[in-house]
Amino acid sequence: MAEPESTVINTNVKQKDPSKALVIAVTTRAIFNLEKEHKLYLEKGKEEYTRHQQANQDKPLPPGTAFAFIQAVQYVNKKMLESNPAEKDLFDILVLSNNSPESGARIINSAKHYGVSAALIFQQEVQAPSTPLRVVFDGDAVLFSDETDQIFQEHGLEGAVRYEQAMEAVPMGEGPLKSFAVHLGKMRRKFSQEKSPIRTYLVTARSGRDMGIRAIKTLREWGLAIDEAFFMDGAPKGPILAQIQPHIFFDDGLHNIQGAQNVGVPSAWVPSCY
């Protein structure tokens, strides 16, 4: 929403060590379903929006797209601290709000309703379901660089396959989410596979037969263990995502993002570099 940014911060909330924590910033519109309120803001303006929020300030907002993701992240923190009370490799969640203080009371009350005690910085004691955090990554231009995508754009599938076969022993470059995935992997390695509160997946359009070896070797070179890998050979990703039911899916293709949304999977678009 195009309101002036608020600076309502609960100073009782202790942030995690920024040099160790994996910081995730989430907007209130992602955590709570504010679509009806946003439409009111666009159609009737800020004053009517503010009156509506004030009149309904004690009515909790329904959970939004990212709510289950936040819950799962808190579950990871809980298990990490149970394993080691001095653990520093934790998630730190920053909740960003553009609501002004007079219209932000409903956001704060909704946070309290769900066990959250801050406006812009959410406390780490959100009640969470006992389910692992499930994160799905696309391969090229997400985990990996877009080098093969560029070859595909210029020379088609056959050219991309020839390139991959020639470069099979050479690890791919780093994509924009490689560091995030590696950090998740670092947290995951603190547990056995059976007890880990984190599960990661690779769901790529690559063919396992012709282009899968280099992807696997690259992950091995990075020391990044993925729980499951799906080489779709160009097939739609929606059915697999529907089975995995991840808390978040990252892809650079808008058609794949739409396919994920069609099966109710929260997704994030990673813009291509070219």
Side-chain angles (χ1 to χ4, degrees):
M1 298 176 189
E3 294 186 56
E5 187 166 327
S6 165
T7 55
V8 180
I9 298 178
N10 185 339
T11 55
N12 293 323
V13 176
K14 184 179 179 181
Q15 287 181 255
K16 302 297 181 275
D17 183 350
S19 66
K20 298 287 187 180
L22 182 57
V23 180
I24 298 176
V26 188
T27 66
T28 51
R29 282 186 64 195
I31 293 180
F32 301 115
N33 187 336
L34 283 158
E35 295 310 305
K36 181 175 71 173
E37 287 73 16
H38 184 54
K39 182 179 180 181
L40 177 66
Y41 179 86
L42 294 176
E43 294 178 351
K44 301 293 183 64
K46 178 182 175 182
E47 290 186 5
E48 185 63 29
Y49 166 82
T50 299
R51 282 195 292 269
H52 172 80
Q53 290 293 68
Q54 289 177 336
N56 292 277
Q57 68 176 18
D58 294 324
K59 182 179 179 181
L61 291 159
T65 302
F67 192 81
F69 173 72
I70 296 301
Q71 286 187 312
V73 162
Q74 306 309 329
Y75 174 66
V76 173
N77 278 355
K78 177 175 180 289
K79 300 304 289 185
M80 297 279 280
L81 291 170
E82 284 177 358
S83 178
N84 177 17
E87 182 62 66
K88 299 295 184 183
D89 283 316
L90 299 167
F91 288 103
D92 197 8
I93 307 302
L94 304 184
V95 180
L96 310 179
S97 173
N98 287 329
N99 286 273
S100 56
E102 66 269 18
S103 62
R106 192 179 184 193
I107 301 294
I108 297 171
N109 288 335
S110 296
K112 290 179 179 178
H113 175 76
Y114 293 110
V116 179
S117 61
L120 295 188
I121 302 177
F122 275 29
Q123 199 171 21
Q124 304 300 324
E125 277 71 39
V126 178
Q127 291 182 353
S130 298
T131 57
L133 170 66
R134 299 183 297 277
V135 181
V136 176
F137 297 96
D138 177 34
D140 297 282
V142 176
L143 273 187
F144 313 127
S145 70
D146 63 358
E147 60 179 273
T148 304
D149 272 356
Q150 292 189 56
I151 299 294
F152 176 79
Q153 296 294 328
E154 296 173 6
H155 303 288
L157 180 58
E158 291 185 4
V161 169
R162 287 195 299 269
Y163 176 79
E164 284 292 296
Q165 291 174 341
M167 297 290 288
E168 188 175 287
V170 181
M172 283 180 276
E174 300 179 3
L177 291 187
K178 185 255 189 175
S179 294
F180 176 56
V182 168
H183 200 124
L184 281 179
K186 179 182 177 183
M187 299 168 80
R188 181 183 173 281
R189 285 196 299 273
K190 297 177 186 291
F191 300 88
S192 66
Q193 185 172 4
E194 295 78 16
K195 295 183 178 180
S196 175
I198 300 172
R199 290 189 64 81
T200 52
Y201 304 80
L202 172 68
V203 178
T204 173
R206 285 171 170 254
S207 161
R209 182 185 66 253
D210 299 318
M211 303 173 72
I213 295 298
R214 193 179 182 208
I216 292 171
K217 287 185 175 180
T218 298
L219 294 174
R220 187 181 303 151
E221 178 72 19
W222 291 349
L224 178 56
I226 296 289
D227 287 288
E228 296 183 51
F230 297 87
F231 296 92
M232 304 302 295
D233 198 12
K237 297 181 180 180
I240 288 294
L241 295 174
Q243 293 297 316
I244 298 173
Q245 282 296 304
H247 293 95
I248 190 73
F249 163 59
F250 296 97
D251 201 290
D252 68 310
L254 288 176
H255 63 291
N256 289 323
I257 296 296
Q258 185 61 58
Q261 293 175 345
N262 289 344
V263 295
V265 170
S267 54
W269 179 52
V270 181
S272 298
C273 301
Y274 59 90

